[in-house]
Amino acid sequence: MRSAPHRPVGPDYTGWLPGVDDLCYGGDYNPEQWPEEVWEQDVTLMREAGVNLVSVGIFSWALLEPREGELDLGWLDRLLDLLHGHGIKVDLGTPTASPPAWFFHTYPDARVVTRDGTVLGFGSRGMASPSHPAYREAAVRITTALAERYGDHPAVVLWHVHNEYGAPVSEDYSPASATAFRRWLRERHGSLDALNAAWGTRFWGQVYGEWEHVGVPAAAPSIVNPAQRLDFARFTDDALLACFVAERDAIRAHSDRPVTTNFMAAACPATDLWKWGREVDIVSNDHYLTAADPRNQVGLALAADLTRSVAGGKPWMLLEHSTSGVNWQERNVAKRPGEMARNALSHLGRGADAIMFFQWRASRSGAEKFHSAMLPHAGTSSRVWREVVELGETLRGVREVRGARVHADVAILWDQESFWAQDLEWRPSVDARHRERVDAFYDRLWRDGLTTDFAHPEQDLSPYRLVVAPASYLLTADAAANLTRYVESGGTLLVSFFSAVVDEHDAVHPGGFLGPLRRALGVAVEEFLPLRAGETLGVRFEAAPGTDGAGRVDTPGTGAVVRGDVWADDLALEGADVVGRFVGGPADGAPAVTRHRLGAGTGWYVSTRLDVDALATLLAPVYDDAGLAPSGLATDVEVVRRHADDAQYVVALNHSDAEQKVPDLPDGTVDLVSGDRVVGAATIPPAGFRVLRSPAR
Ligand code: GAL
């Protein structure tokens, strides 16, 4: 079984950033884009806004090493000293996400090649081939130079390696990548026979007789072997991670400050964050709202909960979000008054002890000039600036929250390998999308006010009352055994359709679909029955058996008929009770939702796609089994709690335009920002927030 998700291999930085006894507030600071006179004004305004940490140098390679091997660090010396003089700490970047022009000129074969053979050029930003020896060497060289020079600089409290590994490109089909892929395959599979077996190469006559004949899964006449593509996704992730580890170790040779790299939890398909979380000293994340989604606070919460889970529950850092609109979506919607603070506090409530932005001062030139900033083009007379200053004050007011932990009774399974596999071509239905199911179940839990962790299917699940598997297409035998044990020992497991279909080689499980979960769920899938586009069916909920097994009792939702679409299964019962039956569709009258008692727990299976409203009907009896209940708060109210030994902190956000209430607060509750006592219920102003301290429960 996997150990705790977050286990840094270096020094244990549970004590937060060295010498920092505060929540962190600030952003990416790119002063090299401005004349040095502006820097003085920057630091003065940073003090005014309450900024205490900035990320520096992330895209500065071309300035730091203008010609190969020639360093120019003078400007960075001056900058770090200036920041230090004003008491502003530094998260120092390694600039390896954007190699200089000379690099690509000297090493043209280190350019990334896309799947269709396009060689990516210079003039933007982005990775060189992560597997090219010249890139690795140059990256470690500039990182070492920075670590030697600034490893014990008093301003530097954190190292920021690279930027968002996996973006804007991750997979590389260059010759350097092909060589590295073969090396990786030899290590993973040991022999060509093992590789041929794992990839099922007898199908379509793909059997390999020589290692040299094995290639990257570039574009081919028809779809490429899915197991090969899955291995290539794993290899790509490992290649990126190896780049991080090489830089991290180069830093550690000269500096005892913690090392992070900014993740894009839930937004970067290339990285398996469970692995990455074990390699960083402090987990950090970037998050940007999806402007097109009017309820994008839910996606934000999902990303924050995933980041906290990757951090093993430890406090983490939000290294980037935006003060208002971004510049790279189709319609870059500006944040409305109060929205930035609610976004920041949702991250805080979900475990972030640093609230940072991209970026400090808006850029006049280049690709991101229309991106919002802490100091916008409109300057300090703007609403955004006033809200930035206010947020700084708020964070000072709530600083005692730092270090407090979030507790969750529910976990959603998240396994990047399964998502990689499910995303490949020629699946039973293009409408069965893993992310859509994760989002829908998460949204239901969010609306029900149940704080949710994410968990790897092989990790210890015993802390959770309820585990939801919305999209576990690839489920290893070990993971299935783990889930079965979880049920037997009293857990409630809810599995959604198209789960436990294949093993780690994308080969269908012996025993058929759902094979290794049949014991836990008491049901088998005989055949998938995907629906046509737009086709719907009904699910009628029936009375479920009493929990003591005697007689049938009315469970919540009995008699309700809800609508499903996308999918149905032809199910064979193997001990489970039928809780819902199809009305119409290809399996009319047959089981749609089942419930199975195993040992001390219960395994539920749902074989169609229910939307977030219909999920309420499904989840009512599931919550019953798990001993959970929805919070009963208004849908637009978000409440999250952090727990310390002697206090619990309640972060309450009102996403509506009407005043809302958080009831039933214990005696002794205090508003951390105003200092006022709160008796019974707290009102939250329209579009506003409250951060409260209550006695520990
Ligand atoms: C992030 C990136 C930043 C900036 C930002 C804009 O993905 O790390 O450098 O480009 O997006 O939203």
Side-chain angles (χ1 to χ4, degrees):
M1 191 183 301
R2 288 204 176 190
S3 51
H6 178 240
R7 189 166 33 83
V9 294
D12 186 1
Y13 288 100
T14 46
W16 199 223
L17 306 180
V20 178
D21 182 23
D22 229 323
L23 296 169
C24 294
Y25 186 50
D28 282 16
Y29 181 35
N30 299 306
E32 63 270 37
Q33 298 173 12
W34 298 86
E36 292 198 19
E37 307 85 82
V38 178
W39 300 4
E40 285 288 343
Q41 191 199 8
D42 281 333
V43 288
T44 306
L45 289 174
M46 282 178 191
R47 301 282 304 194
E48 189 180 322
V51 165
N52 59 9
L53 180 70
V54 288
S55 304
V56 164
I58 299 170
F59 293 103
S60 309
W61 195 345
L63 290 180
L64 295 169
E65 191 179 359
R67 272 164 295 279
E68 185 165 16
E70 228 177 78
L71 295 178
D72 177 7
L73 305 183
W75 67 272
L76 191 52
D77 289 350
R78 293 194 291 284
L79 179 69
L80 295 194
D81 292 347
L82 176 72
L83 289 164
H84 180 57
H86 287 78
I88 296 161
K89 302 291 187 195
V90 170
D91 164 29
L92 186 55
T94 70
T96 53
S98 200
W102 60 254
F103 176 83
F104 291 103
H105 180 79
T106 314
Y107 307 102
D109 54 348
R111 287 178 293 173
V112 168
V113 177
T114 63
R115 192 157 183 250
D116 64 3
T118 307
V119 181
L120 299 180
F122 184 72
S124 176
R125 68 170 162 188
M127 267 314 271
S129 164
S131 303
H132 198 287
Y135 172 70
R136 294 256 182 121
E137 209 178 289
V140 167
R141 196 176 58 229
I142 184 69
T143 299
T144 302
L146 292 170
E148 277 174 353
R149 178 94 147 210
Y150 304 112
D152 56 6
H153 191 287
V156 175
V157 292
L158 178 67
W159 287 94
H160 179 301
V161 169
H162 199 88
N163 190 66
E164 296 184 338
Y165 276 102
V169 286
S170 51
E171 290 190 336
D172 169 35
Y173 294 80
S174 69
S177 187
T179 305
F181 184 43
R182 275 191 287 275
R183 207 166 37 235
W184 184 93
L185 289 169
R186 272 174 191 262
E187 261 175 45
R188 182 175 173 87
H189 295 285
S191 68
L192 262 190
D193 283 351
L195 177 133
N196 280 314
W199 287 6
T201 51
R202 284 166 183 251
F203 184 80
W204 278 1
Q206 295 168 359
V207 176
Y208 293 101
E210 301 293 334
W211 279 105
E212 291 63 45
H213 300 170
V214 183
V216 291
S222 182
I223 77 160
V224 171
N225 185 318
Q228 180 182 1
R229 291 200 66 188
L230 179 56
D231 265 354
F232 192 64
R234 292 179 176 124
F235 155 77
T236 297
D237 188 27
D238 282 355
L240 295 170
L241 188 56
C243 290
F244 168 77
V245 167
E247 289 194 36
R248 180 203 63 197
D249 291 350
I251 291 168
R252 283 197 182 148
H254 302 283
S255 180
D256 63 358
R257 313 292 151 86
V259 182
T260 193
T261 181
N262 47 339
F263 296 156
M264 290 173 288
C268 177
T271 48
D272 176 358
L273 292 186
W274 299 121
K275 271 194 205 165
W276 286 76
R278 289 195 287 272
E279 301 295 344
V280 297
D281 293 322
I282 292 180
V283 166
S284 63
N285 196 46
D286 297 348
H287 181 265
Y288 292 95
L289 296 176
T290 303
D293 176 4
R295 293 181 64 250
N296 52 25
Q297 65 269 21
V298 181
L300 179 159
L302 185 157
D305 286 345
L306 177 59
T307 308
R308 179 189 65 253
S309 304
V310 165
K314 286 185 185 178
W316 53 277
M317 305 182 74
L318 177 70
L319 277 192
E320 291 181 24
H321 71 319
S322 66
T323 57
S324 189
V326 299
N327 65 303
W328 43 266
Q329 299 187 19
E330 287 195 344
R331 293 167 193 84
N332 296 295
V333 176
K335 293 191 183 179
R336 294 295 71 218
E339 193 175 352
M340 176 187 79
R342 293 199 310 280
N343 291 166
L345 292 174
S346 180
H347 287 292
L348 178 100
R350 294 171 192 281
D353 277 354
I355 300 297
M356 314 269 293
F357 293 95
F358 177 85
Q359 61 177 332
W360 162 253
R361 185 188 276 273
S363 304
R364 284 190 58 219
S365 310
E368 299 190 309
K369 54 183 166 292
F370 299 125
H371 197 289
S372 60
M374 298 176 84
L375 183 57
H377 292 297
T380 54
S381 58
S382 58
R383 174 186 65 82
V384 166
W385 172 255
R386 284 192 295 278
E387 289 196 23
V388 163
V389 174
E390 261 172 48
L391 180 58
E393 278 163 23
T394 301
L395 293 176
R396 279 198 297 284
V398 307
R399 61 200 293 269
E400 66 177 83
V401 172
R402 189 174 73 74
R405 300 294 185 99
V406 177
H407 172 83
D409 286 323
V410 186
I412 291 181
L413 297 185
W414 182 280
D415 181 2
Q416 202 64 54
E417 295 208 354
S418 178
F419 301 162
W420 288 331
Q422 188 174 341
D423 281 349
L424 296 172
E425 303 120 313
W426 288 12
R427 284 10 192 159
S429 169
V430 292
D431 299 323
R433 290 178 293 115
H434 67 81
R435 188 55 196 274
E436 183 281 329
R437 279 298 77 190
V438 171
D439 288 349
F441 278 94
Y442 182 87
D443 192 5
R444 186 66 260 158
L445 291 157
W446 190 98
R447 290 179 200 222
D448 290 341
L450 293 169
T451 303
T452 300
D453 276 351
F454 286 86
H456 188 276
E458 289 181 30
Q459 82 177 59
D460 176 17
L461 299 169
S462 60
Y464 303 109
R465 287 166 183 255
L466 171 63
V467 169
V468 182
S472 296
Y473 161 73
L474 182 161
L475 196 75
T476 62
D478 282 352
N482 188 40
L483 293 173
T484 306
R485 267 194 308 274
Y486 167 73
V487 174
E488 275 177 312
S489 45
T492 302
L493 172 69
L494 169 58
V495 177
S496 182
F497 64 90
F498 204 42
S499 284
V501 178
V502 297
D503 66 9
E504 58 272 38
H505 305 305
D506 198 50
V508 173
H509 280 297
F513 312 136
L514 210 57
L517 281 183
R518 280 159 69 170
R519 240 189 95 235
L521 302 177
V523 69
V525 171
E526 278 193 15
E527 194 179 7
F528 300 141
L529 307 172
L531 306 193
R532 297 193 167 81
E535 188 182 351
T536 62
L537 43 67
V539 175
R540 183 191 307 281
F541 280 80
E542 304 181 345
T547 40
D548 58 358
R552 295 179 82 79
V553 293
D554 272 2
T555 45
T558 299
V561 180
V562 297
R563 210 173 62 164
D565 60 8
V566 169
W567 198 269
D569 291 308
D570 196 353
L571 293 180
L573 297 176
E574 296 181 345
D577 295 300
V578 179
V579 178
R581 282 188 189 276
F582 284 115
V583 181
D588 187 24
V593 178
T594 59
R595 174 180 182 270
H596 182 53
R597 294 285 300 175
L598 179 72
T602 317
W604 287 77
Y605 183 71
V606 54
S607 72
T608 189
R609 196 187 80 103
L610 302 179
D611 68 15
V612 69
D613 293 323
L615 281 178
T617 308
L618 170 68
L619 278 166
V622 176
Y623 288 161
D624 246 23
D625 276 345
L628 295 168
S631 68
L633 290 169
T635 325
D636 289 329
V637 178
E638 179 180 352
V639 172
V640 266
R641 292 184 161 76
R642 291 180 66 168
H643 301 269
D645 288 345
D646 52 355
Q648 61 167 308
Y649 299 100
V650 182
V651 177
L653 311 170
N654 180 357
H655 299 291
S656 79
D657 292 334
E659 189 175 277
Q660 300 283 0
K661 276 198 170 19
V662 181
D664 304 326
L665 293 163
D667 289 350
T669 297
V670 175
D671 184 304
L672 280 187
V673 179
S674 67
D676 295 343
R677 289 186 46 187
V678 179
V679 182
T683 50
I684 332 174
F689 66 86
R690 302 288 291 270
V691 183
L692 310 167
R693 179 186 56 228
S694 294
R697 280 208 182 152

